[in-house]
Amino acid sequence: MATERGQLVLKTALQAGRIMIQNGSEVARVDDTLTRIAQNSGYPDSKVYVTITGIMMALSSEGNAQVEPVKNRTIDLEMVTRVNDLSRRYAAHDISLVQFDEALADLEAHPHTFPVWLQLVAAAFVSGTLEIVFRGNYHDALVTFLIGFLGYAVFLGVNRLARVRFLSEFLAAIVIGVLAIETVKWGWGNSTDDIIIGSVMPLVPGVPLTNAVRDIMSGDLVSGIARGMEAVMSAVAIGSGIAVILQLM
Protein backbone atom coordinates (compact mmCIF):
# COMPACT_ATOMS: atom_id res chain seq x y z
CA MET A 1 0.00 0.00 0.00
CA ALA A 2 1.16 3.51 -0.77
CA THR A 3 1.93 5.79 2.12
CA GLU A 4 -0.19 8.86 2.75
CA ARG A 5 2.54 11.08 1.31
CA GLY A 6 2.88 8.83 -1.73
CA GLN A 7 -0.85 9.10 -2.38
CA LEU A 8 -0.63 12.89 -2.15
CA VAL A 9 2.29 12.96 -4.59
CA LEU A 10 0.33 10.86 -7.07
CA LYS A 11 -2.82 12.95 -6.64
CA THR A 12 -0.94 16.23 -7.09
CA ALA A 13 1.12 15.06 -10.06
CA LEU A 14 -1.83 13.50 -11.88
CA GLN A 15 -3.96 16.58 -11.32
CA ALA A 16 -1.19 18.80 -12.66
CA GLY A 17 -0.80 16.58 -15.72
CA ARG A 18 -4.53 16.47 -16.40
CA ILE A 19 -4.83 20.26 -16.26
CA MET A 20 -1.92 20.61 -18.68
CA ILE A 21 -3.30 18.08 -21.18
CA GLN A 22 -6.81 19.55 -20.96
CA ASN A 23 -5.47 23.00 -21.83
CA GLY A 24 -3.30 22.12 -24.81
CA SER A 25 0.12 21.12 -23.51
CA GLU A 26 2.25 18.73 -25.53
CA VAL A 27 2.82 15.26 -24.06
CA ALA A 28 6.60 15.62 -23.56
CA ARG A 29 6.10 18.67 -21.32
CA VAL A 30 3.55 16.84 -19.18
CA ASP A 31 5.80 13.80 -18.86
CA ASP A 32 8.73 15.97 -17.79
CA THR A 33 6.63 17.95 -15.28
CA LEU A 34 5.21 14.84 -13.59
CA THR A 35 8.63 13.20 -13.42
CA ARG A 36 10.12 16.29 -11.80
CA ILE A 37 7.29 16.55 -9.28
CA ALA A 38 7.97 12.95 -8.23
CA GLN A 39 11.74 13.50 -8.07
CA ASN A 40 11.35 16.63 -5.97
CA SER A 41 9.06 14.65 -3.64
CA GLY A 42 11.70 11.97 -3.06
CA TYR A 43 10.65 9.43 -5.69
CA PRO A 44 13.36 9.37 -8.38
CA ASP A 45 12.18 6.10 -9.96
CA SER A 46 8.63 7.07 -10.89
CA LYS A 47 7.02 5.72 -14.05
CA VAL A 48 4.79 7.96 -16.17
CA TYR A 49 2.74 7.17 -19.26
CA VAL A 50 0.91 10.11 -20.84
CA THR A 51 -1.64 10.24 -23.67
CA ILE A 52 -4.14 12.95 -24.54
CA THR A 53 -6.98 10.82 -23.16
CA GLY A 54 -5.42 9.64 -19.90
CA ILE A 55 -2.35 9.56 -17.67
CA MET A 56 -0.90 6.59 -15.78
CA MET A 57 1.67 7.10 -13.05
CA ALA A 58 3.38 4.88 -10.51
CA LEU A 59 5.87 5.59 -7.74
CA SER A 60 8.02 2.49 -8.08
CA SER A 61 8.96 2.27 -4.43
CA GLU A 62 5.28 2.48 -3.47
CA GLY A 63 4.20 -0.37 -5.75
CA ASN A 64 0.89 1.25 -6.81
CA ALA A 65 -0.18 2.90 -10.08
CA GLN A 66 -3.06 5.30 -10.62
CA VAL A 67 -4.84 6.43 -13.77
CA GLU A 68 -6.24 9.91 -14.40
CA PRO A 69 -8.68 10.19 -17.35
CA VAL A 70 -8.69 13.30 -19.55
CA LYS A 71 -12.22 13.84 -20.86
CA ASN A 72 -12.24 17.42 -22.13
CA ARG A 73 -9.63 19.33 -24.09
CA THR A 74 -9.37 22.97 -25.04
CA ILE A 75 -6.63 25.54 -25.63
CA ASP A 76 -5.60 27.72 -22.68
CA LEU A 77 -1.83 28.01 -22.58
CA GLU A 78 -2.02 30.36 -19.61
CA MET A 79 -3.26 27.44 -17.50
CA VAL A 80 -0.31 25.36 -18.70
CA THR A 81 2.05 28.18 -17.73
CA ARG A 82 0.50 28.49 -14.27
CA VAL A 83 0.94 24.77 -13.59
CA ASN A 84 4.55 25.00 -14.76
CA ASP A 85 5.13 27.96 -12.44
CA LEU A 86 3.69 26.03 -9.49
CA SER A 87 5.92 23.06 -10.34
CA ARG A 88 9.00 25.31 -10.40
CA ARG A 89 8.04 26.90 -7.08
CA TYR A 90 7.66 23.43 -5.58
CA ALA A 91 11.06 22.41 -6.94
CA ALA A 92 12.58 25.55 -5.38
CA HIS A 93 10.89 24.69 -2.03
CA ASP A 94 8.89 27.93 -2.11
CA ILE A 95 5.71 25.92 -1.50
CA SER A 96 5.02 22.59 0.17
CA LEU A 97 3.36 19.59 -1.45
CA VAL A 98 0.10 20.36 0.37
CA GLN A 99 0.21 23.97 -0.84
CA PHE A 100 0.93 22.73 -4.36
CA ASP A 101 -2.11 20.45 -4.25
CA GLU A 102 -4.32 23.23 -2.87
CA ALA A 103 -3.08 25.68 -5.51
CA LEU A 104 -3.98 23.24 -8.29
CA ALA A 105 -7.47 22.75 -6.85
CA ASP A 106 -7.93 26.52 -6.64
CA LEU A 107 -6.65 26.93 -10.21
CA GLU A 108 -9.28 24.51 -11.49
CA ALA A 109 -12.04 26.02 -9.37
CA HIS A 110 -11.20 29.60 -10.42
CA PRO A 111 -9.65 29.53 -13.92
CA HIS A 112 -8.29 32.88 -15.05
CA THR A 113 -9.98 32.92 -18.44
CA PHE A 114 -10.37 36.02 -20.56
CA PRO A 115 -13.90 37.47 -20.72
CA VAL A 116 -16.00 36.45 -23.72
CA TRP A 117 -16.13 39.98 -25.14
CA LEU A 118 -12.32 40.16 -25.19
CA GLN A 119 -12.09 36.77 -26.92
CA LEU A 120 -14.54 37.99 -29.56
CA VAL A 121 -12.66 41.24 -30.12
CA ALA A 122 -9.37 39.34 -30.41
CA ALA A 123 -10.91 36.96 -32.97
CA ALA A 124 -12.23 39.94 -34.92
CA PHE A 125 -8.80 41.59 -35.00
CA VAL A 126 -7.15 38.34 -36.11
CA SER A 127 -9.66 38.08 -38.97
CA GLY A 128 -9.46 41.69 -40.10
CA THR A 129 -5.71 42.19 -39.88
CA LEU A 130 -5.00 38.98 -41.81
CA GLU A 131 -6.85 40.49 -44.75
CA ILE A 132 -4.34 43.34 -44.75
CA VAL A 133 -1.17 41.43 -43.91
CA PHE A 134 -1.57 38.47 -46.24
CA ARG A 135 -4.00 39.68 -48.90
CA GLY A 136 -3.42 43.44 -48.93
CA ASN A 137 -7.18 43.83 -49.07
CA TYR A 138 -7.96 46.97 -47.09
CA HIS A 139 -11.48 47.28 -48.49
CA ASP A 140 -12.67 43.96 -47.05
CA ALA A 141 -10.82 44.27 -43.73
CA LEU A 142 -13.71 45.87 -41.84
CA VAL A 143 -16.27 43.40 -43.20
CA THR A 144 -13.96 40.49 -42.27
CA PHE A 145 -13.55 42.03 -38.81
CA LEU A 146 -17.31 41.92 -38.24
CA ILE A 147 -17.86 38.47 -39.76
CA GLY A 148 -14.93 37.03 -37.80
CA PHE A 149 -16.51 38.47 -34.65
CA LEU A 150 -19.91 36.89 -35.39
CA GLY A 151 -18.43 33.58 -36.53
CA TYR A 152 -16.42 33.18 -33.34
CA ALA A 153 -19.48 34.16 -31.28
CA VAL A 154 -21.37 31.25 -32.88
CA PHE A 155 -18.41 28.96 -32.18
CA LEU A 156 -18.35 29.87 -28.47
CA GLY A 157 -22.14 29.77 -28.15
CA VAL A 158 -22.51 26.31 -29.68
CA ASN A 159 -19.64 25.02 -27.51
CA ARG A 160 -21.52 26.11 -24.42
CA LEU A 161 -24.92 24.80 -25.50
CA ALA A 162 -24.00 21.47 -27.12
CA ARG A 163 -21.12 19.20 -26.12
CA VAL A 164 -20.82 17.72 -29.62
CA ARG A 165 -17.30 17.60 -31.01
CA PHE A 166 -16.69 19.60 -34.20
CA LEU A 167 -20.31 20.84 -34.40
CA SER A 168 -19.30 24.33 -33.28
CA GLU A 169 -16.68 24.63 -36.05
CA PHE A 170 -19.17 23.38 -38.66
CA LEU A 171 -21.96 25.79 -37.68
CA ALA A 172 -19.59 28.74 -37.30
CA ALA A 173 -18.20 28.06 -40.79
CA ILE A 174 -21.76 27.99 -42.20
CA VAL A 175 -22.53 31.38 -40.63
CA ILE A 176 -19.25 32.82 -41.95
CA GLY A 177 -19.95 31.49 -45.44
CA VAL A 178 -23.49 32.92 -45.55
CA LEU A 179 -22.39 36.34 -44.28
CA ALA A 180 -19.41 36.51 -46.64
CA ILE A 181 -21.55 35.75 -49.70
CA GLU A 182 -24.33 38.11 -48.66
CA THR A 183 -22.05 41.04 -47.90
CA VAL A 184 -20.48 40.76 -51.36
CA LYS A 185 -23.96 40.62 -52.91
CA TRP A 186 -24.92 43.76 -51.01
CA GLY A 187 -21.79 45.51 -52.21
CA TRP A 188 -20.18 45.78 -48.77
CA GLY A 189 -17.27 43.55 -49.77
CA ASN A 190 -15.30 42.73 -52.91
CA SER A 191 -13.94 39.19 -52.51
CA THR A 192 -15.93 36.35 -50.99
CA ASP A 193 -12.85 34.15 -50.86
CA ASP A 194 -10.76 36.74 -49.02
CA ILE A 195 -13.50 37.40 -46.47
CA ILE A 196 -14.02 33.69 -45.80
CA ILE A 197 -10.28 32.99 -45.47
CA GLY A 198 -9.80 35.80 -42.96
CA SER A 199 -12.94 35.03 -40.94
CA VAL A 200 -12.24 31.31 -40.40
CA MET A 201 -8.68 31.87 -39.16
CA PRO A 202 -9.67 32.09 -35.45
CA LEU A 203 -11.27 28.64 -35.84
CA VAL A 204 -8.26 26.94 -37.42
CA PRO A 205 -6.70 24.36 -35.00
CA GLY A 206 -3.15 25.67 -35.21
CA VAL A 207 -2.00 24.76 -31.69
CA PRO A 208 -3.33 21.16 -31.77
CA LEU A 209 -1.71 20.58 -35.15
CA THR A 210 1.60 22.01 -33.95
CA ASN A 211 1.47 19.88 -30.79
CA ALA A 212 0.66 16.80 -32.88
CA VAL A 213 3.85 17.30 -34.90
CA ARG A 214 5.88 17.93 -31.73
CA ASP A 215 4.48 14.79 -30.08
CA ILE A 216 5.31 12.66 -33.11
CA MET A 217 8.85 14.09 -33.32
CA SER A 218 9.28 13.38 -29.59
CA GLY A 219 8.32 9.74 -30.12
CA ASP A 220 4.83 10.00 -28.58
CA LEU A 221 3.22 8.41 -31.61
CA VAL A 222 -0.12 7.48 -30.04
CA SER A 223 -0.81 10.98 -28.74
CA GLY A 224 0.64 12.65 -31.83
CA ILE A 225 -1.55 10.71 -34.25
CA ALA A 226 -4.64 11.11 -32.04
CA ARG A 227 -4.11 14.86 -31.67
CA GLY A 228 -3.37 15.16 -35.38
CA MET A 229 -6.62 13.40 -36.27
CA GLU A 230 -8.47 15.72 -33.90
CA ALA A 231 -6.98 18.75 -35.66
CA VAL A 232 -7.76 17.29 -39.08
CA MET A 233 -11.38 16.66 -38.08
CA SER A 234 -11.70 20.27 -36.92
CA ALA A 235 -10.33 21.45 -40.25
CA VAL A 236 -12.71 19.10 -42.11
CA ALA A 237 -15.66 20.49 -40.12
CA ILE A 238 -14.67 24.05 -41.06
CA GLY A 239 -14.14 23.15 -44.70
CA SER A 240 -17.40 21.20 -44.86
CA GLY A 241 -19.39 24.13 -43.50
CA ILE A 242 -17.93 26.48 -46.10
CA ALA A 243 -18.37 23.92 -48.89
CA VAL A 244 -22.04 23.38 -48.03
CA ILE A 245 -22.76 27.10 -48.26
CA LEU A 246 -20.82 27.59 -51.50
CA GLN A 247 -22.82 24.75 -53.06
CA LEU A 248 -26.19 26.00 -51.84
CA MET A 249 -25.67 29.68 -52.54
PDB file of all heavy atoms in Angstrom, residues 35-47:
ATOM      1  N   THR A  35       7.403  13.857 -13.882  1.00  0.00           N
ATOM      2  CA  THR A  35       8.628  13.200 -13.416  1.00  0.00           C
ATOM      3  C   THR A  35       9.369  14.077 -12.420  1.00  0.00           C
ATOM      4  O   THR A  35       9.868  13.602 -11.391  1.00  0.00           O
ATOM      5  CB  THR A  35       9.538  12.865 -14.607  1.00  0.00           C
ATOM      6  OG1 THR A  35       8.835  11.999 -15.514  1.00  0.00           O
ATOM      7  CG2 THR A  35      10.803  12.173 -14.147  1.00  0.00           C
ATOM      8  N   ARG A  36       9.425  15.372 -12.701  1.00  0.00           N
ATOM      9  CA  ARG A  36      10.124  16.294 -11.796  1.00  0.00           C
ATOM     10  C   ARG A  36       9.387  16.458 -10.471  1.00  0.00           C
ATOM     11  O   ARG A  36      10.016  16.593  -9.420  1.00  0.00           O
ATOM     12  CB  ARG A  36      10.293  17.657 -12.477  1.00  0.00           C
ATOM     13  CG  ARG A  36      11.301  17.646 -13.629  1.00  0.00           C
ATOM     14  CD  ARG A  36      11.416  19.014 -14.279  1.00  0.00           C
ATOM     15  NE  ARG A  36      12.339  18.986 -15.395  1.00  0.00           N
ATOM     16  CZ  ARG A  36      13.656  19.150 -15.301  1.00  0.00           C
ATOM     17  NH1 ARG A  36      14.198  19.337 -14.101  1.00  0.00           N
ATOM     18  NH2 ARG A  36      14.417  19.123 -16.366  1.00  0.00           N
ATOM     19  N   ILE A  37       8.058  16.469 -10.522  1.00  0.00           N
ATOM     20  CA  ILE A  37       7.289  16.545  -9.277  1.00  0.00           C
ATOM     21  C   ILE A  37       7.613  15.341  -8.392  1.00  0.00           C
ATOM     22  O   ILE A  37       7.832  15.475  -7.178  1.00  0.00           O
ATOM     23  CB  ILE A  37       5.780  16.622  -9.569  1.00  0.00           C
ATOM     24  CG1 ILE A  37       5.424  17.965 -10.206  1.00  0.00           C
ATOM     25  CG2 ILE A  37       4.976  16.421  -8.275  1.00  0.00           C
ATOM     26  CD1 ILE A  37       3.983  18.052 -10.678  1.00  0.00           C
ATOM     27  N   ALA A  38       7.652  14.157  -8.994  1.00  0.00           N
ATOM     28  CA  ALA A  38       7.972  12.948  -8.234  1.00  0.00           C
ATOM     29  C   ALA A  38       9.403  12.991  -7.696  1.00  0.00           C
ATOM     30  O   ALA A  38       9.651  12.651  -6.525  1.00  0.00           O
ATOM     31  CB  ALA A  38       7.776  11.712  -9.114  1.00  0.00           C
ATOM     32  N   GLN A  39      10.345  13.424  -8.512  1.00  0.00           N
ATOM     33  CA  GLN A  39      11.740  13.501  -8.069  1.00  0.00           C
ATOM     34  C   GLN A  39      11.899  14.476  -6.922  1.00  0.00           C
ATOM     35  O   GLN A  39      12.597  14.193  -5.938  1.00  0.00           O
ATOM     36  CB  GLN A  39      12.630  13.927  -9.244  1.00  0.00           C
ATOM     37  CG  GLN A  39      12.811  12.852 -10.309  1.00  0.00           C
ATOM     38  CD  GLN A  39      13.607  13.354 -11.503  1.00  0.00           C
ATOM     39  OE1 GLN A  39      13.806  14.558 -11.677  1.00  0.00           O
ATOM     40  NE2 GLN A  39      14.065  12.432 -12.335  1.00  0.00           N
ATOM     41  N   ASN A  40      11.247  15.628  -7.028  1.00  0.00           N
ATOM     42  CA  ASN A  40      11.346  16.635  -5.967  1.00  0.00           C
ATOM     43  C   ASN A  40      10.609  16.217  -4.706  1.00  0.00           C
ATOM     44  O   ASN A  40      10.794  16.828  -3.651  1.00  0.00           O
ATOM     45  CB  ASN A  40      10.796  17.978  -6.471  1.00  0.00           C
ATOM     46  CG  ASN A  40      11.651  18.585  -7.563  1.00  0.00           C
ATOM     47  OD1 ASN A  40      12.882  18.503  -7.529  1.00  0.00           O
ATOM     48  ND2 ASN A  40      11.022  19.202  -8.549  1.00  0.00           N
ATOM     49  N   SER A  41       9.777  15.168  -4.813  1.00  0.00           N
ATOM     50  CA  SER A  41       9.065  14.647  -3.640  1.00  0.00           C
ATOM     51  C   SER A  41       9.781  13.452  -3.028  1.00  0.00           C
ATOM     52  O   SER A  41       9.291  12.861  -2.067  1.00  0.00           O
ATOM     53  CB  SER A  41       7.639  14.248  -4.033  1.00  0.00           C
ATOM     54  OG  SER A  41       6.923  15.342  -4.572  1.00  0.00           O
ATOM     55  N   GLY A  42      10.937  13.078  -3.601  1.00  0.00           N
ATOM     56  CA  GLY A  42      11.704  11.970  -3.057  1.00  0.00           C
ATOM     57  C   GLY A  42      11.448  10.642  -3.731  1.00  0.00           C
ATOM     58  O   GLY A  42      11.750   9.585  -3.153  1.00  0.00           O
ATOM     59  N   TYR A  43      10.906  10.662  -4.946  1.00  0.00           N
ATOM     60  CA  TYR A  43      10.647   9.429  -5.687  1.00  0.00           C
ATOM     61  C   TYR A  43      11.334   9.511  -7.057  1.00  0.00           C
ATOM     62  O   TYR A  43      10.693   9.852  -8.060  1.00  0.00           O
ATOM     63  CB  TYR A  43       9.139   9.210  -5.860  1.00  0.00           C
ATOM     64  CG  TYR A  43       8.397   9.086  -4.556  1.00  0.00           C
ATOM     65  CD1 TYR A  43       7.772  10.192  -3.982  1.00  0.00           C
ATOM     66  CD2 TYR A  43       8.324   7.870  -3.895  1.00  0.00           C
ATOM     67  CE1 TYR A  43       7.096  10.090  -2.787  1.00  0.00           C
ATOM     68  CE2 TYR A  43       7.643   7.748  -2.691  1.00  0.00           C
ATOM     69  CZ  TYR A  43       7.029   8.865  -2.137  1.00  0.00           C
ATOM     70  OH  TYR A  43       6.357   8.757  -0.939  1.00  0.00           O
ATOM     71  N   PRO A  44      12.615   9.217  -7.124  1.00  0.00           N
ATOM     72  CA  PRO A  44      13.356   9.374  -8.384  1.00  0.00           C
ATOM     73  C   PRO A  44      13.067   8.303  -9.425  1.00  0.00           C
ATOM     74  O   PRO A  44      13.446   8.463 -10.582  1.00  0.00           O
ATOM     75  CB  PRO A  44      14.814   9.290  -7.919  1.00  0.00           C
ATOM     76  CG  PRO A  44      14.769   8.447  -6.686  1.00  0.00           C
ATOM     77  CD  PRO A  44      13.477   8.781  -6.011  1.00  0.00           C
ATOM     78  N   ASP A  45      12.406   7.211  -9.033  1.00  0.00           N
ATOM     79  CA  ASP A  45      12.179   6.097  -9.960  1.00  0.00           C
ATOM     80  C   ASP A  45      10.727   5.991 -10.413  1.00  0.00           C
ATOM     81  O   ASP A  45      10.241   4.894 -10.717  1.00  0.00           O
ATOM     82  CB  ASP A  45      12.591   4.773  -9.296  1.00  0.00           C
ATOM     83  CG  ASP A  45      14.062   4.772  -8.910  1.00  0.00           C
ATOM     84  OD1 ASP A  45      14.867   5.315  -9.685  1.00  0.00           O
ATOM     85  OD2 ASP A  45      14.386   4.238  -7.838  1.00  0.00           O
ATOM     86  N   SER A  46      10.034   7.100 -10.485  1.00  0.00           N
ATOM     87  CA  SER A  46       8.631   7.071 -10.885  1.00  0.00           C
ATOM     88  C   SER A  46       8.490   6.678 -12.353  1.00  0.00           C
ATOM     89  O   SER A  46       9.401   6.868 -13.160  1.00  0.00           O
ATOM     90  CB  SER A  46       7.994   8.448 -10.667  1.00  0.00           C
ATOM     91  OG  SER A  46       8.610   9.418 -11.495  1.00  0.00           O
ATOM     92  N   LYS A  47       7.335   6.123 -12.686  1.00  0.00           N
ATOM     93  CA  LYS A  47       7.022   5.722 -14.050  1.00  0.00           C
ATOM     94  C   LYS A  47       5.788   6.494 -14.501  1.00  0.00           C
ATOM     95  O   LYS A  47       4.762   6.489 -13.817  1.00  0.00           O
ATOM     96  CB  LYS A  47       6.749   4.220 -14.146  1.00  0.00           C
ATOM     97  CG  LYS A  47       7.853   3.348 -13.546  1.00  0.00           C
ATOM     98  CD  LYS A  47       9.177   3.521 -14.282  1.00  0.00           C
ATOM     99  CE  LYS A  47      10.259   2.645 -13.660  1.00  0.00           C
ATOM    100  NZ  LYS A  47      11.583   2.866 -14.304  1.00  0.00           N
TER     101      LYS A  47
END
